[in-house]
Amino acid sequence: MQPRQALHALFGLAVILVAAVGHAHAADAVKAPPLKVGFILPMTGQSASTGKQIEAAVKLFMTQNGSPVAGRKIDLIVKDDGGVADTTRRIAQELVVNDKVDVLAGFGLTPLAFATAPIATQSKTPMVVTAAATSAITEQSPYIVRTSFTLPQVTVPIADWAAKHGIKKAVTFVADYGPGLDAEKFFKSQFTLDGGQVTGEIRTPLKSPDFAPFLQKVADLKPDAVFVFLPSGQGAAFMKQFGERGLDKSGIRLIATGDVTDDDQLDGMGDVALGVVTSHHYSAAHPSDLNRKFVAAFEAANNFRPNFMAVAGYDGIRLIYNAFAVTKGKGGGDALLAAMKGQVIESPRGQILIDAQTRDVVQDVYIRKVERVAAKGNQLYNVEFDVQKAVKDPAKAK
Ligand code: DHB
């Protein structure tokens, strides 16, 4: 062999070696396919803001924390169910059977979570609920874990606050389905226990409600306060009609769960919202360093403020990442579920715990008042002024 030929041969061998190493890497990647997370969210329809908020938060988390986890890439699949339960169920089935997702997540409304629970059970797929908040959801499948909240959890603190602040007679005003019925029931039981009296119980339809006739009833009943629960997305319409009927100047106090003074819509509500006292687990104005960083990053990536749906989505994907890491990237429904139980997460809302027994979230619940915040361009925010620490879902604590 001539020296020149030898050099060529050597060079050829080097090329083959490099190619082989490259192939070995590619083969590893094939052996370890991505872990898949399927979020089912209402991206269209009446609850579209819930989908928009959660998707934005999940994408922010993934941008900040990257992929892979434990050597495996994370594939995020987001599907729109339009807020229709039959669609949620069909999509969940497809995600489990065709896409073979490792985890299902999302669920913008209670009926959508109920519709999917049997699929989680049958397929042994962890189902992380990052929105829907009827207490009983976590009891529909042993594979359900929740990072959002429950209505009893956020309602009992405002009932306590009302009774301690001169409100003796209250009327409840709730959306007529799971979370509204939870809010109605737990407001009444706590407020009555505290010495108050519920003098009327009003339920409004979930779909496209016209609040006017129901608000007239509140005016006629003349309570000291009206306690309101409406799902995310309905607060602005309610507040507008409350103001138009002059109820804000009637001497009837408006108190609510924080779903009504939702950060997604709050600043657009205007002065009618000023002074409204609510209880909830998250405010974009929560004064912690972690939250300030979260809100700044969220607002830099989106042209809107994060709300309580966003924070539950952000913590939900963190819970899933942590579980993937605990299983060292192996996954598996039962192993992931076990890894989710008992997790403690430092959230922008404060510390949260996934109760190992109930798989529901334990968290601080704040009492807040709507104020214009000078340091934030005079925009309306829910300003926290009191707190009940580490609140367990009272429907399960009993
Ligand atoms: C539910 C939906 C909401 O938008 C909300 O704010 C609270 C509860 C639900 O359907 O469970």
Side-chain angles (χ1 to χ4, degrees), residues 50 108-110 132-134 149 151 177 179 229-232 259 308-309:
T50 295
L109 292 162
T110 288
T134 299
F149 68 110
L151 260 301
Y177 78 120
F229 162 77
L230 294 168
S232 189
D259 311 71
F308 60 99
M309 295 297 186

Side-chain angles (χ1 to χ4, degrees), residues 235 239 256-263 266 269 273 276 278 368 370 382:
M239 208 62 88
T257 63
D259 311 71
V260 177
T261 56
D262 184 347
D263 273 300
L266 180 56
M269 291 180 192
V276 173
T278 61
R368 315 95 49 86
V370 178
N382 294 295

Side-chain angles (χ1 to χ4, degrees), residues 200-392:
E201 296 177 292
I202 294 166
R203 297 179 183 177
T204 60
L206 175 61
K207 294 232 152 62
S208 319
D210 172 15
F211 299 115
F214 303 106
L215 286 169
Q216 187 55 50
K217 240 189 222 171
V218 174
D220 294 344
L221 286 163
K222 295 191 178 58
D224 300 322
V226 56
F227 161 73
V228 183
F229 162 77
L230 294 168
S232 189
Q234 294 193 3
F238 171 84
M239 208 62 88
K240 186 164 178 280
Q241 294 189 25
F242 192 81
E244 280 169 2
R245 304 197 77 77
L247 276 155
D248 56 331
K249 297 181 179 72
S250 68
I252 300 172
R253 274 199 87 151
L254 173 58
I255 56 175
T257 63
D259 311 71
V260 177
T261 56
D262 184 347
D263 273 300
D264 192 67
Q265 299 184 322
L266 180 56
D267 192 52
M269 291 180 192
D271 286 353
V272 62
L274 279 173
V276 173
V277 174
T278 61
S279 55
H280 230 207
H281 52 293
Y282 181 66
S283 163
H286 179 61
S288 73
D289 281 346
L290 191 60
N291 186 51
R292 276 187 277 270
K293 283 188 192 129
F294 168 67
V295 173
F298 189 98
E299 288 181 343
N302 304 283
N303 58 352
F304 49 92
R305 197 193 279 186
N307 72 355
F308 60 99
M309 295 297 186
V311 85
Y314 193 73
D315 295 340
I317 188 72
R318 182 186 296 279
L319 179 79
I320 295 165
Y321 263 57
N322 288 351
F324 283 154
V326 170
T327 67
K328 301 199 163 50
K330 275 221 274 300
D334 287 309
L336 289 173
L337 183 74
M340 288 176 187
K341 291 179 183 176
Q343 267 196 43
V344 173
I345 289 177
E346 294 304 331
S347 162
R349 62 186 121 168
Q351 195 180 71
I352 66 168
L353 160 74
I354 302 300
D355 182 325
Q357 266 75 50
T358 63
R359 293 162 277 102
D360 223 331
V361 57
V362 179
Q363 60 191 332
D364 297 347
V365 176
Y366 306 89
I367 308 292
R368 315 95 49 86
K369 184 189 240 168
V370 178
E371 290 176 14
R372 289 205 177 275
V373 177
K376 296 177 193 287
N378 255 354
Q379 290 188 26
L380 295 175
Y381 278 90
N382 294 295
V383 177
E384 297 166 353
F385 64 89
D386 202 356
V387 63
Q388 287 196 12
K389 299 294 282 181
V391 182
K392 225 183 135 164

